[in-house]
Amino acid sequence: MLEGLPREYDVIVVGTGMVESILGAACARIGKSVLHIDVNDYYGSEWASFSLDALMEWTQKQETAEINIDPHDEHEKIVPISNPKDVCRNVQLKWNIPETKEETETMEENASKPMTLDVLKKQSRKFNIDLTPKLYYASGGLIDLLVQSNVAKYCEFKLVSRLLLERNGQLENVPSSRADIFNSNDISLIDKRLLMKVIMNCSSMSIDDLNEDQNLPFVEYLKKQKLNDKLCHLILNSISMVDYTATTKDGFIKAKRYLDSIGRYGNSPFLFPLYGNGEMTQAFCRLCAVFGGIQFLRFPLAAFTLNSSTNQCTGIIATTGERFHAKDAVICNHAYMKSISESQNTIHRIVLLTNQSIKASEKEEITYLRLSSPDETGIHVIEVGYGPGCAPDGLFLLYLFPEKSQTHAGDNTDKIIERLLKLTGDHFTRTNILGQFTFDQIETISLPPSSIDKLFLTHGPDGTIDHDAAVNTARNLFHEIYSNGEEFLARAPDPEDIVIEDPSNTDDTSTTKTENETL
């Protein structure tokens, strides 16, 4: 299985999550030899997207048998890996529809018949179910990185076409532009002017201009601008997307980002990737492979090797005993380390498979909603369907998860679902929920860094809707590993910019690159 695989590398990357994939691509891009491995048979780790069959298989977690390997010499120390799936706990998949073995035809021809699990399984490949659903600010860190590195050529996106707001016990559309605000019949003319003044301030003022108001609760600052409770709720939940306890500084920063994103690619601040968020990690892995990195799924990883005399991580060991050495760094997701047992913070994630959108529309929408009130943290709601290639036509995936991790939060699935159902009324009820998938995801972002030299620990997702933490961690670790001015993910050349040298041409004036290729 491992015959012919080189044993020496500059960098070994363990895990194919977002941070690891970005780092693997960045290291390969500057010419380093990279071995990028994952014990799973799919890309993405905690950021993966699954078909329905693959998700059902993933819920059946398999324990990893610990293998005893003797040290090579007196200075070598063996550190066994942990099962990376241990970061996802209390995994449950429940169905509200019958399972039948009867032969069925397509869902379109059986629209009048009750849905069965058999019918859904026949459509398995049309599902792309995210473990970690995220949105992309049009002017956000990850989109900028995709454009900068030219990884964007591997990706496709759709606009998040509908933003909803919880107001007066129902769901209402959020005005996303100046024209939407002034065309709204729900806001008085005076309130429109006050709202636009605050929005313009958030867009144009610097943080320093706030002076002593920086640390004032953002809701208090908004009230100082004579905004009523309804408009305060609109800005907090649908523009800044912060809790009621957030400071004015935080509210301004996030509002400015939202406003800067509107208009870059359309009349929405958010994008959503076609075929789910798992495509993003694969895009960076693809770039790594283009620049010579070796990708290896289902790698039989057993342990890490340390030099006890220097306290350095030297590489990894396969279950078959082969050792692979890293000269510069071993980059590893926290999920592979025993240290995950130290974290008690979890994010409770809910995925509902439904046959109806939460709000009626003339066209299919990609929807985002943030639920919040003065006495609770925000809950993100993302709904996708057939348009972005995430579900069969007529079905939807509804993602719900809290913005902040909690300690021993318990299973509050029913409470969150009931909260949403109170807003949807008779249009969307429990009968529209065909199945639900829930799990608790350990938050590893707050775990301490490695105390071992040349071992760099990465983290999994957090509860936010963006990728800022992952991008920042990848950039910081890259500059920690290579601190001599190496560029982080320089733009990769387009195929038309590359000229392949003819081996038979011995003319010294021949070239393998065009002048505008950036290497």
Side-chain angles (χ1 to χ4, degrees):
M1 183 179 185
L2 303 177
E3 293 83 359
L5 192 63
R7 298 293 189 264
E8 301 289 336
Y9 299 89
D10 293 320
V11 177
I12 296 176
V13 183
V14 181
T16 53
M18 184 62 73
V19 184
E20 304 90 77
S21 298
I22 294 174
L23 277 168
C27 293
R29 183 68 187 86
I30 62 172
K32 301 299 179 180
S33 58
V34 177
L35 174 62
H36 194 177
I37 67 172
D38 199 316
V39 300
N40 299 307
D41 59 358
Y42 54 85
Y43 286 98
S45 300
E46 298 170 72
W47 310 74
S49 299
F50 293 124
S51 67
L52 183 59
D53 286 343
L55 178 70
M56 295 175 73
E57 181 180 347
W58 181 86
T59 60
Q60 308 301 315
K61 185 178 75 171
Q62 296 179 352
E63 297 296 329
T64 301
E66 190 168 312
I67 298 176
N68 294 321
I69 297 177
D70 295 327
H72 182 69
D73 56 40
E74 61 180 4
H75 298 296
E76 184 180 68
K77 181 180 178 181
I78 307 298
V79 180
I81 68 165
S82 178
N83 185 347
K85 288 187 178 180
D86 285 345
V87 294
C88 297
R89 300 174 178 174
N90 304 319
V91 178
Q92 293 186 336
L93 180 59
K94 299 178 181 178
W95 296 104
N96 302 325
I97 54 177
E99 180 176 2
T100 177
K101 297 182 179 180
E102 295 178 0
E103 290 294 327
T104 58
E105 299 178 16
T106 63
M107 287 199 301
E108 290 80 5
E109 296 172 342
N110 283 273
S112 61
K113 297 182 179 180
M115 180 65 69
T116 66
L117 189 53
D118 249 8
V119 174
L120 291 182
K121 287 181 178 179
K122 290 179 183 295
Q123 304 288 318
S124 171
R125 293 174 63 86
K126 294 184 178 180
F127 286 97
N128 283 289
I129 304 169
D130 289 338
L131 289 183
T132 304
K134 294 275 188 179
L135 301 181
Y136 297 68
Y137 279 99
S139 63
L142 186 56
I143 290 294
D144 291 346
L145 186 62
L146 289 171
V147 174
Q148 164 200 316
S149 62
N150 210 18
V151 174
K153 63 186 177 183
Y154 302 125
C155 312
E156 293 182 87
F157 296 87
K158 276 185 169 290
L159 278 174
V160 175
S161 54
R162 182 172 64 178
L163 305 180
L164 297 180
L165 174 68
E166 172 190 12
R167 189 162 60 192
N168 299 326
Q170 59 185 8
L171 298 178
E172 298 182 6
N173 290 342
V174 174
S176 298
S177 66
R178 178 181 297 184
D180 290 341
I181 291 174
F182 280 104
N183 289 331
S184 174
N185 295 322
D186 299 324
I187 306 175
S188 69
L189 182 59
I190 294 177
D191 285 341
K192 288 176 181 177
R193 291 173 176 170
L194 292 173
L195 177 60
M196 283 306 305
K197 180 181 178 181
V198 172
I199 288 177
M200 293 302 295
N201 286 343
C202 291
S203 181
S204 60
M205 288 175 59
S206 70
I207 299 301
D208 292 337
D209 292 334
L210 292 171
N211 299 319
E212 67 275 5
D213 286 338
Q214 287 190 36
N215 297 319
L216 186 72
F218 192 33
V219 65
E220 296 299 325
Y221 172 85
L222 296 176
K223 289 180 178 179
K224 283 178 62 175
Q225 310 308 308
K226 301 180 181 179
L227 296 189
N228 58 35
D229 290 343
K230 181 170 69 174
L231 295 183
C232 289
H233 183 73
L234 168 64
I235 291 180
L236 286 168
N237 282 286
S238 302
I239 296 180
S240 292
M241 299 181 185
V242 294
D243 290 334
Y244 279 77
T245 57
T247 63
T248 300
K249 178 180 179 180
D250 290 339
F252 256 67
I253 290 173
K254 294 191 175 182
K256 180 175 177 58
R257 184 177 185 186
Y258 175 99
L259 297 168
D260 289 346
S261 295
I262 293 178
R264 185 174 185 183
Y265 297 112
N267 192 29
S268 173
F270 297 119
L271 302 172
F272 189 86
L274 288 186
Y275 312 115
N277 280 272
E279 291 293 303
M280 291 300 102
T281 59
Q282 294 187 55
F284 285 103
C285 289
R286 200 169 292 133
L287 181 67
C288 177
V290 166
F291 284 91
I294 297 175
Q295 304 288 322
F296 201 131
L297 298 182
R298 286 190 290 183
F299 188 91
L301 181 63
F304 300 94
T305 57
L306 308 181
N307 186 322
S308 58
S309 61
T310 61
N311 194 39
Q312 286 186 347
C313 184
T314 56
I316 59 174
I317 305 178
T319 56
T320 49
E322 290 97 331
R323 285 168 168 77
F324 298 85
H325 300 284
K327 183 180 74 173
D328 297 334
V330 174
I331 299 168
C332 170
N333 190 298
H334 258 296
Y336 286 84
M337 309 299 291
K338 302 292 185 181
S339 58
I340 62 169
S341 61
E342 300 172 9
S343 176
Q344 302 299 321
N345 293 333
T346 61
I347 301 168
H348 184 63
R349 297 193 180 272
I350 304 170
V351 185
L352 303 181
L353 172 58
T354 71
N355 60 6
Q356 181 95 308
S357 174
I358 58 175
K359 183 176 174 64
S361 176
E362 295 180 356
K363 62 177 182 177
E364 184 180 301
E365 311 270 11
I366 301 177
T367 302
Y368 172 71
L369 162 69
R370 185 177 187 273
L371 300 175
S372 181
S373 67
D375 57 350
E376 66 178 355
T377 189
I379 297 173
H380 299 296
V381 181
I382 301 172
E383 183 184 71
V384 294
Y386 179 75
C390 294
D393 194 10
L395 297 180
F396 301 86
L397 297 174
L398 192 59
Y399 300 103
L400 304 96
F401 55 97
E403 187 169 71
K404 296 179 181 178
S405 62
Q406 297 175 300
T407 303
H408 303 302
D411 187 355
N412 55 354
T413 302
D414 288 337
K415 180 181 177 181
I416 294 174
I417 294 176
E418 284 299 325
R419 167 84 182 276
L420 179 64
L421 293 178
K422 288 180 180 179
L423 302 174
T424 58
D426 295 336
H427 171 74
F428 182 89
T429 66
R430 278 197 177 271
T431 59
N432 297 115
I433 301 175
L434 307 181
Q436 65 184 48
F437 165 55
T438 60
F439 66 97
D440 293 324
Q441 186 179 60
I442 295 179
E443 186 192 59
T444 56
I445 191 171
S446 58
L447 290 177
S450 170
S451 60
I452 301 169
D453 192 22
K454 294 188 177 182
L455 175 63
F456 297 87
L457 297 179
T458 65
H459 58 76
D462 57 13
T464 64
I465 56 169
D466 57 58
H467 295 78
D468 286 4
V471 173
N472 292 336
T473 297
R475 181 181 286 109
N476 293 338
L477 288 179
F478 175 82
H479 290 306
E480 189 175 342
I481 299 169
Y482 296 110
S483 55
N484 294 322
E486 291 87 350
E487 186 175 357
F488 177 66
L489 275 179
R491 182 176 177 83
D494 293 311
E496 59 269 20
D497 295 332
I498 303 174
V499 177
I500 306 299
E501 185 181 30
D502 185 351
S504 63
N505 186 354
T506 57
D507 188 352
D508 291 340
T509 62
S510 65
T511 180
T512 60
K513 308 180 187 70
T514 62
E515 292 181 358
N516 63 344
E517 181 182 349
T518 54
L519 289 176

